[in-house]
Structures are given as C-alpha cells and as structure tokens.
Amino acid sequence: MVVPESVRAIRHDERAESAVKIQTRSVDFFYGDVQALFNISLDVQPNSVMALIGPSGCGKSTFLRTLNRMNDIILGTRLTGSVLIDKTDIYGSAFSVVELRKRVGMVFQKSNPFPKSIFENVVYGPRIHGIRNPGQLEEIAERSLIRAALWDEVKDRLSMNAMELSGGQQQRLCIARALAVDPEILLMDEPASALDPRATARIEDLIGELRREYTIVIVTHNMQQAARVSDETAFFYEGRLIEVGITKQIFTNPVHKQTEDYITGRFG
C-alpha cells in the first residue's frame, strides 16, 4: 500500500494554536540518505495524551525521539522543519539540550533501571542537576514514587537493588525517575509492551492520572490501549502522518481509508 505524495494529514478538529504545548511543522527526518519522516505537522495539547499508532517501521518512534532530540546521538541524522515547545524551537541554536531533557522526560519500551538502589534510581536526575541536600532528595524520591503509583510497594525498601523489582515495578520506577526532574512533557515508547496484562493495566491507570499534570505522547501498537488511554490519536504510515484527531472519532469514524484499514486489521 503506497501513500501518495499528495496525501495531507487529516485533522478532525482545529484548535487555537495558543493552547498548543508541542507543535511540529513540515518535519522531514533523515538517517543518512534515507528519509524516515515526511512533512510531519502535528499539534499536541497541554495536559493531554496523544497516542501515535501505525505498523512497525512507520516512523512513530523516530518522530517521538525528535521531540527531545534523542536522535541527535545517532551519527548522520538530519532534521528539517521545526519542533516547538511552548512556541520555542527546540532545534534553535540558543536552545539548551540539557534544559530540554529536563523539560521532556522519556520512558522506553524496555524498562532500564540502573543497577543501584531504588532511591538512587529516582534521585539520579536531580543529582545530575545539582541537588545535593539529603532532605530535598528524600522529598523528591517520595513525591516521584507516589506519582508513579509505586510508593506504597517500596517505601520500606528504598535501599533494595532496583533490579530485584518485578517487570511492572521496574517500568513504574523508570517513570518515577523521569518525573523526578519535574518535566512538563512525558514521552513513552511502547511502555507496556513487555508487561503482563495486570502490570499493563497499572501503567494505563497511571497514564490516566499523570495527564492531569503532564502532556504525554505515547507510541503503541496496541489499538485497544490507544483507545483506552489517549485523548487524541495520530496514525502514521510509511513515514507520513495520515490522520490525527479525537481518539473516539479516529476509531469510530476515520476520514482516511488507510486509517480504517489499519484500525480494522486489514494490514499492519
């Protein structure tokens, strides 16, 4: 199935740009000579969950990593267009990447706790940013673990090696670690794909709670998960953004046939 060059992403509802937290315009992205993203223009509203869906290799994770410049560490990559957070271009020469990583946290597909204690995992970021006061670090650890719905399970064993936690607990610990630096935005790349149904439900419940304080962008292959957790959904195919809009409308009344075919399992 080929996406015509003339296809433009269809959006069901246009909102005032003043309310936008993340805004990309005409983003093209290249791995060397290979173009992975084509003309991506997308708005993400504050205190909402945006789900990115589409088949493997369609550019979802590549796009997600453009939002915190994680692709910068890959040799030979190049981006054109603009990525704005609160109307400021994060690829501008005056923008601090260190500040960006503080404002935009990320949780990866595979939980990646450090081989340290639970406490040291959570306060790693604040330490990097210069916080040394023990009382302040303890307060940050407690607050972050509470936000990640993990505090009640680990509060009496903060000195335990994080590698001894279950898979679901490790992923929530990674979320707590991301929250410890007080980001405004949380990026999640398939955060529950390696977890059992019970742990997945905990992560989804947590996402629902976190949207009150954070703007969340989540990549998922799970259609049901996207429908459950997101306010808006964006469908990617072959590096192009085909359709974006309110999640209920995307899943019940998509405008583009390719979106309907993917959602109904005809391909992907």
Side-chain angles (χ1 to χ4, degrees):
M1 187 177 295
V2 178
V3 181
E5 288 290 340
S6 60
V7 167
R8 182 178 66 86
I10 298 170
R11 186 177 185 87
H12 291 294
D13 63 319
E14 298 295 338
R15 302 187 184 185
E17 288 193 357
S18 60
V20 173
K21 183 68 176 178
I22 304 169
Q23 184 178 68
T24 72
R25 288 294 177 265
S26 304
V27 168
D28 293 333
F29 186 82
F30 302 81
Y31 292 103
D33 295 329
V34 178
Q35 188 167 358
L37 296 176
F38 299 81
N39 195 33
I40 307 296
S41 295
L42 179 67
D43 294 346
V44 181
Q45 311 301 322
N47 299 106
S48 68
V49 181
M50 169 72 78
L52 310 181
I53 64 171
S56 296
C58 69
K60 304 183 302 294
S61 293
T62 294
F63 176 74
L64 189 76
R65 292 193 298 267
T66 68
L67 304 181
N68 67 346
R69 296 184 58 171
M70 283 291 290
N71 289 321
D72 288 11
I73 64 176
I74 304 173
L75 189 65
T77 58
R78 176 168 58 92
L79 178 143
T80 62
S82 61
V83 180
L84 286 71
I85 294 178
D86 293 329
K87 299 184 180 180
T88 301
D89 190 347
I90 67 173
Y91 285 83
S93 58
F95 201 92
S96 166
V97 176
V98 173
E99 179 64 22
L100 176 65
R101 302 280 164 77
K102 184 177 179 182
R103 293 177 64 185
V104 184
M106 187 156 188
V107 178
F108 297 92
Q109 179 175 5
K110 181 174 170 44
S111 57
N112 58 342
F114 302 137
K116 301 174 179 284
S117 70
I118 294 170
F119 178 82
E120 288 300 328
N121 265 269
V122 179
V123 302
Y124 179 82
R127 285 191 194 278
I128 291 292
H129 290 287
I131 297 177
R132 297 286 185 268
N133 181 280
Q136 190 175 358
L137 290 173
E138 288 174 7
E139 180 182 340
I140 289 170
E142 180 175 351
R143 182 176 68 247
S144 302
L145 288 165
I146 288 173
R147 286 175 172 171
L150 190 58
W151 174 252
D152 288 341
E153 298 169 43
V154 302
K155 62 184 178 183
D156 297 322
R157 45 184 182 147
L158 295 178
S159 60
M160 185 182 85
N161 192 309
M163 308 305 288
E164 298 177 31
L165 294 172
S166 70
Q169 289 174 324
Q170 286 187 12
Q171 192 64 304
R172 281 183 283 145
L173 176 63
C174 291
I175 293 172
R177 190 174 65 195
L179 299 179
V181 295
D182 283 329
E184 302 162 21
I185 296 165
L186 193 60
L187 309 179
M188 299 180 140
D189 194 354
E190 296 277 3
S193 65
L195 304 180
D196 61 46
R198 184 176 179 182
T200 296
R202 294 293 300 274
I203 296 294
E204 291 181 3
D205 289 343
L206 177 57
I207 291 170
E209 295 169 11
L210 292 174
R211 66 154 51 91
R212 302 171 189 169
E213 298 181 62
Y214 306 95
T215 301
I216 300 172
V217 184
I218 178 173
V219 167
T220 179
H221 280 94
N222 187 320
M223 296 297 98
Q224 291 77 22
Q225 182 174 84
R228 286 191 296 263
V229 306
S230 67
D231 300 293
E232 293 191 289
T233 296
F235 171 55
F236 282 70
Y237 185 70
E238 292 189 349
R240 292 172 171 84
L241 177 59
I242 305 302
E243 187 169 350
V244 58
I246 300 297
T247 293
K248 183 177 180 180
Q249 290 176 297
I250 289 285
F251 279 90
T252 60
N253 189 30
V255 173
H256 207 285
K257 187 177 186 305
Q258 282 176 316
T259 311
E260 181 181 357
D261 287 347
Y262 179 72
I263 289 172
T264 56
R266 294 188 182 123
F267 76 97

